Amino acid sequence: MKRHLTLLLALLTGSLVVQAPVQAAAAPPAGDAARMAPVPEQVLSPTPYMGWNTYYALGGDPTEAEIKSTADFLVSSGLRDAGYEYVWIDGNWAAPTPRNSAGDLVANPDQFPNGLEPLVDYIHAKGLKAGIYTDAGPYIPGKCGLGSHGHYQRDADRFAAWKFDGVKVDYLCGIAADLDPKTVYTEFARALRNNADGRPMIFNLCNPVTSPDWGDYPEEQQSTYSWSYAPAIAQSWRTYTDVGFVGEIKYKDVLRNYDANARHPEAAGPGHFNDPDYLGPELGMSDEEFRTQMTLWSVAAAPLVIGSDVRTLSKTSLGILRDRDVLAVNQDPAGVQAVRVGPAGTTETWVKRLADGDRAVVLLNRGDGPATLTTTARSAGLSGHRFTLKDAWTDRVTESAGVISAAVPAHGAALFRVGRATGGPGVPHVVAGPPRVTDVGGDAVQAGVAPVAGGGDRARVEVTVRNDGARPVFAPRVELTVPDGWTARPLGKAPKVLTPGRSATVAFTLTLPADARPGTTALTAATSYEVTGKGRLRQRAAAALVVAPAPPDGDVVLSHHDWISATSGWMSPTVDRSVGGWSPISMLGEVYPTGLGVASPSTVRYYLGDRCTRLATTVGIDDAVRDVGPEGGTSTFQVIGDGRVLFDSGVLSRDDVRAADIDLTGVRVLDLVVGDGGDGGYNDRADWAALNATC
């Protein structure tokens, strides 16, 4: 704990000095006089590099035409001018026989009929840079697309001759060959720096091997160990396993990778950065979730490499990627990585020290419901009495007396640039909170969870307005906008004056019509207030209310009933099939005709509306894991009613099943929750079999 507090304080105050690592002179191959002179230290990417990569969007077999088209779009969309300059060709670019008779790597002529050098020339002509991919291990068909082990200098020279500007070095065949990553990556870095053309090329060290996700590996072979040696040899290094799959990047995995990436902020600095993997707009996240990823990657001083097909992105996604204030935080020349201030939890504060002495402050809401989050300038490492807060996403500039606060949506993050205020008084920092459903039908709503209501229900909604500025604001008013056919009746009035440091809560009674359409509905609070000399200012904040489908009736197969929401750690929940949908639900050789197949972690939510009395099910690991491998395959199963645990299986392995008979009396909202059993989600193909309810 003492070391952690010392490091945090050093990162916030700037007393931690991280020097650019110096590459040791390489021992030259015998008879190679051209390699005798030591290579001078180069800082190839003082700030985190930015670009696009083929893997998540295009998967295997990227083509010359696709890459040229993407390069064109990077220019026409303004992404290049925003800083996204690297066009990175990931795996599966090489020919089926990767090397020719001379031992040189060869591109697949079906994908690259003109070879790679003309394509690199095309990329360069667009004002862009080009990256290429290889593996640190030997080529093992079926394990990796190609491998450079035993050919490091030849391949480095080939990449330089093709005029590439960066090389990503994977470890798929490295781990298959049981190599030591520190040893082989150091050898590859030496070859790259000593290439025959003397061409500067950034080195992305990409070891994704992580236990338990990949199985049981020694610490020294894992991605989580790279920080200990990579800063001396690479411009970036992966800090965890892949953030997703081809065509799929989920919010939960973004948070997982960010947390792993945050373990060693002291390893980052100008020219060398922790790498939590790629950005994933429109690959499985909402716009709000992607905005959060962009926020977190920016304060982490992480390379910003887009994994999506940029040619198909919406204006919203492109706007998030190009936001100047957010990119300025990422590209800050100090190269400092954010650290968490305060405890970990559903809501958190992260702070990044900037080169001019300002702080980038993130208020992160991991929860499923909106929340107003706060911290202080003092906690961010700033002293004084007046502070300017610039919201990096909205460009709104306000002044605070020391409290930093924001209304943050579910899965959202606020990002402020905070510095000492000077001159005349600024606009007070007022936070108009989101509509918060505090109870439905007289039952309290659990904090941090999206509220659920049924047709005909009555709910209480509260909106809290707080003044964190140094000046009063006057005549605050709140209006609640709801769908047609709904009613919102105010309860009481707001005060006439909201003095500094005070807050006021305005409540409403919300009534849903009996035929309210199921789905997610936005409740919007429009808040206004008067500021002397500025007139009447306005803010809007929205929150989601889930309108549930009709509850089940009679003896029902619950897996055939409409759920409210459903998540799966891998792919999506599958009805009456094991996750992925390739086989029937089967456990210990017994086939079940009905149920749900999921991968951990998973939550499937149903609305029962106090209409059911009993749930019977059999839970366990699907037999499909026996066709995959011996690793993993452990899960926990919980049945939760209105936040109360009704059943807990404990940890079940692939050789266990457990039957459950559960009392559902009085339950409105039912959650079926699968955890990873404590060893990660590898091979956790879990089943809720014969899921039968009496209602």
Side-chain angles (χ1 to χ4, degrees):
M1 177 61 74
K2 182 177 179 180
R3 179 187 177 277
H4 172 75
L5 292 174
T6 302
L7 171 62
L8 187 150
L9 194 60
L11 287 167
L12 290 181
T13 61
S15 60
L16 178 69
V17 178
V18 183
Q19 297 180 339
V22 178
Q23 171 76 26
D32 193 347
R35 309 294 165 86
M36 289 298 293
V39 178
E41 171 65 20
Q42 296 172 303
V43 179
L44 300 183
S45 182
T47 61
Y49 57 86
M50 300 166 59
W52 170 82
N53 181 284
T54 63
Y55 176 70
Y56 285 112
L58 305 181
D61 309 327
T63 67
E64 175 184 303
E66 290 172 323
I67 292 168
K68 283 185 173 181
S69 174
T70 301
D72 293 343
F73 187 82
L74 289 173
V75 176
S76 65
S77 65
L79 286 169
R80 179 200 63 184
D81 293 343
Y84 297 92
E85 60 179 353
Y86 279 89
V87 177
W88 219 296
I89 304 170
D90 211 286
N92 295 334
W93 60 264
T97 302
R99 297 184 187 276
N100 61 21
S101 58
D104 289 323
L105 290 171
V106 179
N108 191 323
D110 294 334
Q111 300 163 239
F112 305 97
N114 300 304
L116 289 181
E117 188 170 358
L119 176 58
V120 173
D121 288 340
Y122 184 90
I123 292 169
H124 286 163
K126 293 286 181 179
L128 297 162
K129 295 181 179 180
I132 193 65
Y133 167 100
T134 188
D135 192 286
Y139 176 52
I140 307 172
K143 296 290 185 180
C144 53
L146 64 137
S148 288
H149 192 252
H151 305 272
Y152 288 166
Q153 196 61 63
R154 178 179 289 273
D155 291 355
D157 292 347
R158 172 60 64 182
F159 297 147
W162 283 336
K163 294 179 282 190
F164 278 101
D165 305 289
V167 183
K168 170 181 175 177
V169 186
D170 212 333
Y171 201 61
L172 304 180
C173 277
I175 196 66
D178 197 28
L179 301 177
D180 174 61
K182 179 179 179 179
T183 299
V184 296
Y185 276 131
T186 301
E187 291 172 357
F188 192 97
R190 181 181 297 124
L192 200 63
R193 292 179 61 83
N194 291 337
N195 72 80
D197 289 359
R199 184 173 184 82
M201 291 182 282
I202 65 173
F203 175 21
N204 173 222
L205 189 158
C206 186
N207 176 7
V209 176
T210 307
S211 295
D213 301 78
W214 286 61
D216 187 16
Y217 291 97
E219 179 185 7
E220 293 79 8
Q221 285 190 309
Q222 297 185 49
S223 61
T224 49
Y225 190 72
S226 299
W227 71 274
S228 68
Y229 61 88
I233 61 174
Q235 280 67 51
S236 66
W237 53 93
R238 282 280 299 279
T239 52
Y240 209 66
T241 192
D242 292 355
V243 74
F245 302 93
V246 172
E248 179 186 89
I249 296 178
K250 294 183 177 181
Y251 179 70
K252 68 177 183 62
D253 294 327
V254 163
L255 293 180
R256 176 200 66 190
N257 277 36
Y258 178 77
D259 290 338
N261 191 78
R263 293 173 186 170
H264 292 285
E266 73 276 17
H272 47 280
F273 304 99
N274 287 306
D275 176 13
D277 207 9
Y278 301 149
L279 299 169
E282 300 178 34
L283 291 180
M285 288 185 283
S286 67
D287 290 342
E288 192 66 56
E289 290 170 339
F290 173 56
R291 190 178 289 106
T292 297
Q293 186 191 20
M294 189 71 179
T295 297
L296 296 177
W297 264 230
S298 293
V299 297
L304 299 180
V305 179
I306 307 166
S308 311
D309 187 343
V310 292
R311 300 168 299 177
T312 66
L313 293 181
S314 67
K315 289 182 179 180
T316 298
S317 293
L318 292 173
I320 293 170
L321 288 166
R322 294 189 302 239
D323 190 282
R324 292 182 180 180
D325 291 319
V326 177
L327 293 178
V329 170
N330 177 260
Q331 296 293 299
D332 185 77
V336 172
Q337 182 172 323
V339 293
R340 190 182 68 244
V341 176
T346 303
T347 61
E348 295 175 345
T349 299
W350 294 80
V351 178
K352 172 185 174 75
R353 180 177 57 81
L354 303 176
D356 64 357
D358 286 356
R359 301 294 189 268
V361 178
V362 174
L363 301 175
L364 173 63
N365 181 10
R366 299 172 183 254
D368 295 330
T372 297
L373 308 186
T374 65
T375 188
T376 64
R378 182 175 182 179
S379 296
L382 293 170
S383 59
H385 302 287
R386 296 169 53 212
F387 303 91
T388 298
L389 276 57
K390 182 173 184 181
D391 188 317
W393 287 113
T394 67
D395 298 332
R396 178 170 170 256
V397 179
T398 55
E399 185 176 298
S400 168
V403 174
I404 303 167
S405 53
V408 186
H411 297 186
L415 173 59
F416 292 104
R417 187 176 189 121
V418 184
R420 294 182 183 89
T422 58
V427 175
H429 184 69
V430 174
V431 177
R436 188 168 64 93
V437 179
T438 59
D439 73 67
V440 177
D443 294 329
V445 173
Q446 185 179 354
V449 176
V452 177
D457 274 345
R458 180 173 293 180
R460 180 183 173 90
V461 180
E462 296 179 350
V463 177
T464 299
V465 184
R466 53 182 295 152
N467 180 6
D468 292 326
R471 303 166 61 194
V473 299
F474 303 93
R477 291 200 298 262
V478 179
E479 296 178 355
L480 186 64
T481 303
V482 297
D484 291 342
W486 298 35
T487 61
R489 182 171 58 86
L491 303 172
K493 296 181 179 180
K496 294 181 179 180
V497 179
L498 198 58
T499 55
R502 301 297 298 273
S503 64
T505 298
V506 179
F508 299 83
T509 295
L510 177 69
T511 305
L512 282 66
D515 60 352
R517 178 177 297 180
T520 299
T521 296
L523 305 177
T524 303
T527 301
S528 63
Y529 47 91
E530 293 180 2
V531 176
T532 302
K534 299 294 182 179
R536 195 158 193 88
L537 304 183
R538 291 170 173 80
Q539 295 185 40
R540 295 172 69 87
L545 174 65
V546 176
V547 181
D553 185 36
D555 293 328
V556 298
V557 177
L558 195 59
S559 58
H560 294 175
H561 188 71
D562 291 339
W563 55 52
I564 295 172
S565 60
T567 64
S568 177
W570 174 65
M571 301 191 75
S572 300
T574 309
V575 175
D576 299 344
R577 311 283 289 182
S578 64
V579 65
W582 296 298
S583 60
I585 291 174
S586 174
M587 296 180 291
L588 299 183
E590 182 176 350
V591 175
Y592 296 80
T594 64
L596 293 174
V598 299
S600 74
S602 166
T603 299
V604 181
R605 171 168 285 191
Y606 291 99
Y607 180 67
L608 305 185
D610 194 11
R611 295 283 299 274
C612 302
T613 58
R614 178 177 175 270
L615 176 70
T617 186
T618 300
V619 298
I621 304 298
D622 196 272
D623 288 337
V625 302
R626 302 178 192 277
D627 299 325
V628 180
E631 299 87 1
T634 61
S635 291
T636 59
F637 297 77
Q638 286 188 324
V639 176
I640 299 176
D642 298 328
R644 183 167 53 92
V645 177
L646 307 177
F647 165 77
D648 189 329
S649 69
V651 177
L652 301 183
S653 73
R654 64 185 64 196
D655 297 316
D656 300 318
V657 297
R658 184 155 300 171
D661 195 323
I662 302 154
D663 183 3
L664 297 181
T665 303
V667 173
R668 293 182 68 255
V669 179
L670 183 74
D671 289 319
L672 306 179
V673 180
V674 174
D676 67 14
D679 61 356
Y682 193 73
N683 271 348
D684 286 359
R685 305 186 184 199
D687 293 331
W688 295 94
L691 199 60
N692 299 318
T694 301
C695 304

